[in-house]
Amino acid sequence: MIFARLGRPLPARAAARLAGLLALAGWSCASAPRPSAAARALEKNPRATIEGRVVDSAGSPVAGVSVYGLPRGKDIPWPLPAVTDSAGRFRLTVFAPAEYGFLLRSEGRTVVTLLPEDPSRLAIPVVPGERREGVELVFLREAWKEAAP
């Protein structure tokens, strides 16, 4: 029962018409675009690893933050996120060769700022098979609070 009227299903013909109208209006279901040839070629390369810590502006570790690798380039697939441990450490497995910035997600929100130390502004390059260590990301807690709904 996808479409209902007053708790009763719509007749099949009416439901099909409504679905067609919604599709014409741009209200249809969408799926991710098919990967390009360049993205498929990149997926065949050995992955790189980016390891580091998330700290606050005082240098203290921040636990429980999701770290997303933000690919810099059109045909670079998004890697799976990592979650920081009690020492603020994270480990991302990413597609390479590529450059990455980072998005930090906490309490269901991702905040990007104009500040130069914002992790989204970084550009960390990696090559296939590389293990990049010592990346330190600053969790801008003050900006997080200012952006609160």
Side-chain angles (χ1 to χ4, degrees):
M1 180 167 72
I2 295 174
F3 302 105
R5 185 175 139 204
L6 299 176
R8 297 186 321 250
L10 287 175
R13 180 174 273 179
R17 282 187 193 151
L18 182 57
L21 289 172
L22 291 174
L24 285 174
W27 292 25
S28 61
C29 294
S31 58
R34 300 182 85 186
S36 67
R40 287 192 303 275
L42 192 66
E43 289 174 347
K44 293 178 184 176
N45 291 344
R47 304 292 187 265
T49 303
I50 301 174
E51 297 178 5
R53 289 186 341 136
V54 175
V55 298
D56 61 19
S57 55
S60 299
V62 181
V65 172
S66 296
V67 180
Y68 290 80
L70 177 60
R72 303 277 188 221
K74 176 182 168 202
D75 293 311
I76 304 166
W78 281 65
L80 294 174
V83 178
T84 59
D85 65 12
S86 60
R89 294 181 301 241
F90 69 90
R91 179 181 180 162
L92 287 171
T93 301
V94 298
F95 297 92
E99 282 190 352
Y100 290 89
F102 303 91
L103 296 175
L104 303 179
R105 185 167 179 82
S106 178
E107 300 174 15
R109 293 185 300 135
T110 301
V111 175
V112 175
T113 72
L114 298 175
L115 299 171
E117 62 270 23
D118 191 292
S120 67
R121 304 208 176 283
L122 294 175
I124 304 294
V126 292
V127 297
E130 178 181 8
R131 182 176 173 194
R132 176 64 68 101
E133 298 176 296
V135 174
E136 190 166 277
L137 306 178
V138 179
F139 178 70
L140 302 168
R141 194 176 309 272
E142 297 78 25
W144 221 266
K145 289 176 184 175
E146 289 175 13

